[in-house]
Amino acid sequence: MKKIAVFGSVNIDYFVESKILPKAGETVSGENFFMNFGGKGANQAVAAARLGGDVALFGSIGNDDQKNILLEHFKEENVDVNYLNVRNDVSTGAAFIQLCESENRIIIVPGANQYTNRKYSEQHLENLLNYDLFVFQLEVPVDALEYLIPILHSHNKTIILDPAPAQLLSNEILEKITYITPNEHEVSIITDDIGDKDGLLAKYPNKLIVTCGKYGVKYHNGKEVVTVPARRVKAIDTTGAGDTFTGAFAVALSEGMPLHDCIVYGTYAGSLAVMKKGAQSGMPRKHEMNELLEKEGRRLES
Ligand code: RIB
């Protein structure tokens, strides 16, 4: 099994659940408030570790009230955080999430995540090169990715980018990434191409993998556009569903599954994740996935 390094953000998520969302200048009553573990990097690392991946998380947290809780959590989840950057000068990243009818709106305050930057990457380059498969998102400074991706590419590493929150990326970077997993909104932003989506998929065969929520996942297999259908479930909270997909996809790749099966594995994991509130609460463990795949008669190659 290949070793996975997730390079990205760590947040504490602060959820407010309400039946309606306030307009500007309006006050509404919420139904529920809760805190949970989050951050796209941490979510992807936990998703991959729960499914049996050999995972390390490269990221930053503050030396604050959250530090020990987070370190304990990562230990319980089998995520190696030996290289985590603990900062005295700033607090752990925070995400403020409005949850309304299973949809979310998120504001993030980066805090320590801003130090998961080029300098931190330079300091850990040797450690990073011990891993085989890399997972990035865009909640940390892009200078880190601009520095690391060309080096990792030159070492023939497998590189996955979940480009969220979306921003325009240079062709030079895009071409060095092995798999890109945007959702249907992010895909036009990262490529600056608002044209025909199938044409865009054909431009990046077996590489651009677009998650479309309940409409499934689309990619081009070199001959045609393929849609991997989503499992039909009642979604309670979609926060972290994309992260679960990417984490599960990474584990499947690390185990040597063919691309199509890696995508199926990701959609199954995502379908379970949305059935509980909170980004990490519903992420499945390996035995739950195996039981579900077996029950639905899905045989994936490994
Ligand atoms: O993708 C979901 C995540 O986005 C949340 O956990 C939140 O922390 C934000 O980073």
Side-chain angles (χ1 to χ4, degrees):
M1 188 200 294
K2 291 181 170 176
K3 283 163 60 119
I4 303 172
V6 178
F7 187 99
S9 58
V10 182
N11 291 335
I12 295 293
D13 290 350
Y14 299 84
F15 283 85
V16 172
E17 228 181 320
S18 65
K19 291 215 168 87
I20 43 169
L21 293 169
K23 298 186 195 74
E26 192 185 17
T27 303
V28 300
S29 268
E31 320 285 305
N32 192 13
F33 167 77
F34 60 97
M35 287 161 68
N36 222 311
F37 298 109
K40 295 184 196 304
N43 293 345
Q44 293 172 5
V46 169
R50 279 195 193 167
L51 293 170
D54 180 354
V55 187
L57 175 63
F58 289 78
S60 309
I61 59 173
N63 189 5
D64 54 18
D65 294 349
Q66 313 299 344
K67 184 186 92 177
N68 290 334
I69 301 170
L70 278 163
L71 294 179
E72 190 55 34
H73 171 60
F74 289 128
K75 194 170 157 203
E76 273 170 21
E77 297 288 355
N78 277 323
V79 173
D80 179 353
V81 285
N82 265 335
Y83 307 117
L84 212 62
N85 182 14
V86 181
R87 306 282 314 187
N88 285 324
D89 48 348
V90 69
S91 27
T92 299
F96 299 89
I97 306 183
Q98 289 180 316
L99 196 57
C100 182
E101 308 206 323
S102 85
E103 298 288 343
N104 61 51
R105 286 174 170 72
I106 306 180
I107 298 178
I108 50 170
V109 180
N113 292 311
Q114 65 193 286
Y115 293 99
T116 305
N117 54 13
R118 179 175 173 142
K119 191 171 169 203
Y120 169 73
S121 315
E122 284 172 352
Q123 282 162 355
H124 286 289
L125 183 58
E126 234 175 274
N127 300 323
L128 281 157
L129 287 174
N130 290 326
Y131 292 81
D132 312 297
L133 197 153
F134 292 81
V135 186
F136 293 95
Q137 330 74 38
L138 297 173
E139 259 180 2
V140 295
V142 78
D143 68 351
L145 280 70
E146 285 166 351
Y147 167 72
L148 284 174
I149 287 174
I151 300 177
L152 298 174
H153 179 257
S154 72
H155 282 78
N156 293 319
K157 304 289 188 185
T158 302
I159 305 169
I160 304 171
L161 172 67
D162 178 0
Q167 60 175 278
L168 182 61
L169 295 169
S170 69
N171 276 333
E172 212 196 324
I173 291 291
L174 286 179
E175 75 189 17
K176 293 186 171 61
I177 296 167
T178 326
Y179 302 104
I180 313 175
T181 59
N183 67 25
E184 71 267 46
H185 310 293
E186 291 154 357
V187 66
S188 334
I189 303 174
I190 58 164
T191 55
D192 198 21
D193 189 334
I194 50 161
D196 163 40
K197 293 279 183 301
D198 285 4
L200 196 56
L201 289 169
K203 207 169 144 189
Y204 300 99
N206 296 312
K207 166 172 179 149
L208 182 60
I209 296 155
V210 182
T211 59
C212 307
K214 62 182 176 194
Y215 301 107
V217 178
K218 286 182 169 219
Y219 74 105
H220 194 286
N221 67 3
K223 288 192 196 130
E224 60 190 349
V225 172
V226 179
T227 303
V228 176
R231 275 188 76 238
R232 285 187 178 274
V233 291
K234 181 156 173 32
I236 307 278
D237 176 9
T238 57
T239 312
D243 300 332
T244 308
F245 172 84
T246 301
F249 176 77
V251 172
L253 275 179
S254 79
E255 290 178 352
M257 278 191 209
L259 180 61
H260 187 86
D261 286 359
C262 293
I263 297 173
V264 172
Y265 198 69
T267 57
Y268 266 70
S271 76
L272 291 174
V274 299
M275 292 167 75
K276 287 196 185 143
K277 284 180 197 166
Q280 295 179 18
S281 317
M283 287 174 177
R285 296 186 187 273
K286 198 174 172 92
H287 70 92
E288 294 172 81
M289 278 283 278
N290 289 345
E291 281 161 24
L292 180 65
L293 289 163
E294 170 110 30
K295 191 171 147 213
E296 302 205 350
R298 300 295 309 234
R299 291 206 184 289
L300 305 180
E301 255 180 69
S302 57

